[in-house]
């Protein structure tokens, strides 16, 4: 199959445009473009795209709203290579490249809660969906790059806390709860809070964390004042601590369970979306893998030193 450009989110969603190798195509909202995108929030001539030897190259044409690729806005007037796995966002439209955009990339967007996300009145509007795509992709790229660059476990914890607070505007506290490898009991808590904490041991719902670790799955309590949970002790403990909503995800790798990431909000019911839970779960898996890599490097370093 030849190269193609697909609309993943926006007007004419799922429409695709076949591209010829070696030819440069203009893309924008004007009808005189080779590829016309029906979106009033993009420029008349937004970017050019060409495909050479199985690779894609795009150039932003000094547009007002920019061209967002993967986790960042690209520099205007500079041709950049774009991986098939990296979504392209212009205005209120999300685009994908090649066959992968209709399989892996569409699945990826759904896995981080974009394509399936809903609001109280049903489907999210296109502006909300595209804003969510940008926010979620930026979070994934930032936390992945941050964890890869971490030199020790302390730096991993700092990167996770920083990125979670950047993503979740309604979060009041975030705690990384570490467990003992042998006993499975809680061994250490690293946290960040918007307000001073009197007792660090009492800054999270222990019942929610233990429930998450026992089931090895992500758990969200949208509103502790109304929600019936599988375990009434969870919502009861949250009410006693004046926690209105909370999420907790396990930090699991292929080798072991490292612990859990816990976030909460005091006053906001439904403070977190399902897509937030999916992203936090993804962060938990990435953090656990990064911790395994650090531990492995340290073990190899000690052996070589001996």
């Amino acid at each position: 199959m030849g190269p193609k450009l697909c609309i993943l989110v926006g007007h004419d969603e799922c429409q695709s445009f076949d591209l010829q190798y070696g030819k440069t195509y203009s893309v924008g909202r004007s009808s005189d473009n080779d590829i016309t995108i029906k979106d009033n929030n993009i420029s008349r001539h937004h970017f050019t795209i060409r495909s050479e030897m199985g690779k894609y190259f795009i150039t932003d044409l000094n547009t007002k709203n920019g061209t967002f690729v993967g986790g960042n806005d690209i520099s205007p007037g500079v041709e950049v290579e774009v991986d098939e796995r990296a979504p392209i966002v212009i205005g209120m439209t999300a685009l994908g490249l090649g066959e992968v955009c209709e399989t892996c990339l569409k699945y990826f967007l759904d896995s981080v809660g974009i394509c399936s996300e809903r609001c109280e009145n049903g489907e999210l509007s296109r502006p909300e969906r595209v804003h969510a795509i940008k926010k979620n992709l930026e979070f994934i790229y930032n936390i992945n790059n941050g964890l890869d660059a971490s030199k020790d476990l302390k730096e991993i914890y700092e990167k996770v806390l920083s990125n979670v607070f950047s993503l979740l505007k309604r979060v009041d506290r975030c705690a990384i709860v570490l467990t003992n490898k042998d006993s499975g009991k809680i061994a250490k808590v690293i946290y960040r809070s918007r307000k001073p904490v009197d007792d660090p041991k009492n800054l999270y719902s222990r019942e929610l964390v233990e429930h998450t670790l026992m089931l090895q799955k992500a758990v969200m309590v949208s509103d502790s004042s109304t929600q019936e949970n599988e375990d009434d002790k969870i919502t009861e403990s949250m009410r006693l601590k004046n926690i209105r909503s909370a999420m907790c995800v396990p930090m699991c790798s292929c080798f072991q369970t490292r612990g859990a990431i816990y976030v909460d909000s005091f006053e906001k019911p439904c403070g977190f979306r399902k897509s937030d839970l999916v992203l936090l779960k993804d962060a938990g898996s990435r953090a656990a893998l990064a911790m395994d890599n650090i531990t492995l490097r340290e073990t190899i370093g000690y052996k070589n030193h001996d």
Side-chain angles (χ1 to χ4, degrees), residues 18-180:
D18 292 328
L19 309 176
Q20 294 180 16
Y21 287 116
K23 180 179 178 180
T24 299
Y25 294 81
S26 62
V27 180
R29 75 170 192 271
S30 176
S31 60
D32 63 358
N33 285 286
D34 298 306
I35 298 174
T36 301
I37 305 295
K38 297 176 183 178
D39 186 339
N40 291 330
N41 295 281
I42 69 174
S43 297
R44 294 180 68 254
H45 302 95
H46 201 98
F47 69 84
T48 60
I49 181 170
R50 66 183 181 88
S51 178
E52 292 281 358
M53 303 296 290
K55 298 180 180 180
Y56 293 90
F57 302 88
I58 69 172
T59 304
D60 178 88
L61 301 176
N62 295 290
T63 58
K64 179 180 179 181
N65 294 327
T67 302
F68 188 89
V69 178
N72 299 284
D73 286 302
I74 64 173
S75 299
V78 179
E79 185 177 68
V80 297
E81 182 180 348
V82 181
D83 192 282
E84 283 191 350
R85 296 167 295 180
I88 302 167
V89 181
I90 56 173
M92 301 303 171
T93 303
L95 306 167
L97 300 171
E99 295 299 322
V100 71
C101 71
E102 296 180 317
T103 54
C104 300
L105 188 53
K106 191 73 172 176
Y107 174 80
F108 168 74
L109 292 177
D110 189 60
S111 72
V112 295
I114 299 302
C115 300
S116 61
E117 193 166 354
R118 300 289 185 272
C119 62
E120 292 181 357
N121 297 322
E123 190 78 23
L124 281 175
S125 65
R126 284 200 298 273
E128 288 174 316
R129 291 176 70 191
V130 174
H131 173 73
I133 288 175
K134 285 187 174 183
K135 181 188 72 170
N136 294 358
L137 288 176
E138 187 176 3
F139 172 78
I140 291 172
Y141 275 80
N142 286 345
I143 198 166
N144 189 62
N145 293 337
L147 293 175
D148 283 347
S150 296
K151 299 179 179 62
D152 53 38
L153 295 177
K154 181 180 179 182
E155 193 171 349
I156 288 177
Y157 307 147
E158 292 173 351
K159 292 290 176 59
V160 170
L161 293 173
S162 176
N163 279 282
V164 167
F165 264 80
S166 177
L167 172 73
L168 305 174
K169 301 304 180 184
R170 293 184 174 184
V171 66
D172 286 311
R173 301 178 300 188
C174 177
I176 299 173
V177 183
L178 303 176
T179 55
N180 182 279

Side-chain angles (χ1 to χ4, degrees), residues 239-253:
R239 286 193 291 268
L240 290 173
K241 291 180 171 65
N242 296 316
I243 301 169
R244 196 65 182 272
S245 55
M247 298 188 296
C248 189
V249 300
M251 291 194 301
C252 299
S253 67

Side-chain angles (χ1 to χ4, degrees), residues 155-276:
E155 193 171 349
I156 288 177
Y157 307 147
E158 292 173 351
K159 292 290 176 59
V160 170
L161 293 173
S162 176
N163 279 282
V164 167
F165 264 80
S166 177
L167 172 73
L168 305 174
K169 301 304 180 184
R170 293 184 174 184
V171 66
D172 286 311
R173 301 178 300 188
C174 177
I176 299 173
V177 183
L178 303 176
T179 55
N180 182 279
K181 181 181 179 180
D182 298 319
S183 67
K185 294 182 178 180
I186 295 174
K188 187 177 182 180
V189 179
I190 301 98
Y191 68 92
R192 180 176 294 185
S193 175
R194 295 195 187 277
K195 296 180 180 180
V197 174
D198 296 328
D199 182 7
K201 295 181 180 179
N202 198 38
L203 64 77
Y204 63 94
S205 169
R206 192 180 187 93
E207 288 76 12
L208 178 56
V209 171
E210 291 178 346
H211 187 71
T212 298
L213 292 173
M214 179 182 68
L215 297 180
Q216 290 291 290
K217 73 174 186 178
V219 180
M220 178 169 65
V221 178
S222 298
D223 189 347
S224 62
S225 66
T226 60
Q227 183 170 330
E228 292 184 3
N229 199 276
E230 300 172 36
D231 188 344
D232 290 336
K233 290 182 179 179
I234 296 175
T235 50
E236 183 180 349
S237 74
M238 288 177 60
R239 286 193 291 268
L240 290 173
K241 291 180 171 65
N242 296 316
I243 301 169
R244 196 65 182 272
S245 55
M247 298 188 296
C248 189
V249 300
M251 291 194 301
C252 299
S253 67
C254 298
F255 303 103
Q256 69 179 96
T257 298
R258 292 280 184 170
I261 302 176
Y262 167 93
V263 299
D264 66 21
S265 177
F266 291 131
E267 300 177 356
K268 299 289 185 181
C270 303
F272 309 111
R273 289 177 170 174
K274 289 183 179 179
S275 60
D276 295 329

